Amino acid sequence: MPWRNWSDDEELFLDVRDALHPDPIEAQVVAAASAVRAWQTADPDRELAALLYDSYVDQTVGVRGPQPSAARNLVFGRDELRVEIELSDAGIEGQLIPPEPATVRLFTVAGPVAETTADEVGCFTFPATRPGPIRIECSVAGRQVATEWISV
C-alpha cells in the first residue's frame, strides 16, 4: 500500500475505509480463526486425541514432497482409543481401535459437515472434502473424543 498523506482528508478517509472493509481473503481468515476458537472452547468434556502417526512425515520426502495422489494415513490416540484414518481423493476411511459402534462427525472450521456411524468393527467413511483443516469427533462409550486439526 502506498504512503498516504493524512493531512489530506480524502487520503485519510481512504485509509479509514480500507481499515473498516478488509479484503475478502482477510475477512475469511478472521472468520475461520473466530470459528475455530469458539469451537475449541464450546465443550469442556471433549477429550483431544493426539496425532501419533502421519504417513507424510514418515515417508522419505522427495524434492517435490509426497505424491499428490497417494493416500495419507494418520493415527490419533487418547488413552486406549485409537482413531485410524486414511485420506485420499475418494474420501476419508477410518476405524476405531478397539472396534466398537460410535457416532463419528467430520468438522471443518465452519462446523460439522457430515455425520456417520462406525459399525461393529469400528469402520466409518466420509466423502471427499474440500481442501482445508478438518477434525474428526467420535462419541464412543459415553466419551467425546476429537482429533487434532489436520490439513487436507
Side-chain angles (χ1 to χ4, degrees):
M1 182 169 108
W3 172 259
R4 291 192 178 141
N5 177 7
W6 283 3
S7 297
D8 182 355
D9 287 344
E10 226 173 279
E11 290 191 26
L12 175 63
F13 286 131
L14 289 174
D15 277 349
V16 170
R17 183 202 63 202
D18 290 346
L20 294 175
H21 301 289
D23 71 46
I25 300 288
E26 290 175 1
Q28 285 178 335
V29 169
V30 169
S34 297
V36 165
R37 181 69 184 141
W39 191 83
Q40 285 177 327
T41 58
D43 186 1
D45 294 329
R46 182 184 312 109
E47 300 175 46
L48 182 64
L51 179 63
L52 303 176
Y53 174 78
D54 184 345
S55 62
Y56 274 17
V57 175
D58 194 41
Q59 291 177 354
T60 303
V61 179
V63 173
R64 298 179 190 219
Q67 295 293 334
S69 61
R72 181 179 179 189
N73 296 299
L74 300 119
V75 178
F76 297 90
R78 175 68 182 190
D79 300 328
E80 75 287 345
L81 179 66
R82 299 289 181 264
V83 180
E84 298 181 359
I85 61 173
E86 180 179 282
L87 303 172
S88 68
D89 294 339
I92 300 170
E93 293 183 16
Q95 184 175 18
L96 303 176
I97 308 290
E100 54 186 296
T103 301
V104 184
R105 287 176 287 286
L106 177 65
F107 286 83
T108 64
V109 293
V113 293
E115 183 174 313
T116 190
T117 303
D119 60 20
E120 63 278 349
V121 292
C123 294
F124 60 90
T125 60
F126 290 110
T129 64
R130 296 181 311 191
I134 64 165
R135 176 179 230 174
I136 294 176
E137 184 178 294
C138 308
S139 299
V140 56
R143 298 169 59 188
Q144 296 284 335
V145 178
T147 67
E148 294 180 21
W149 288 97
I150 54 171
S151 293
V152 178

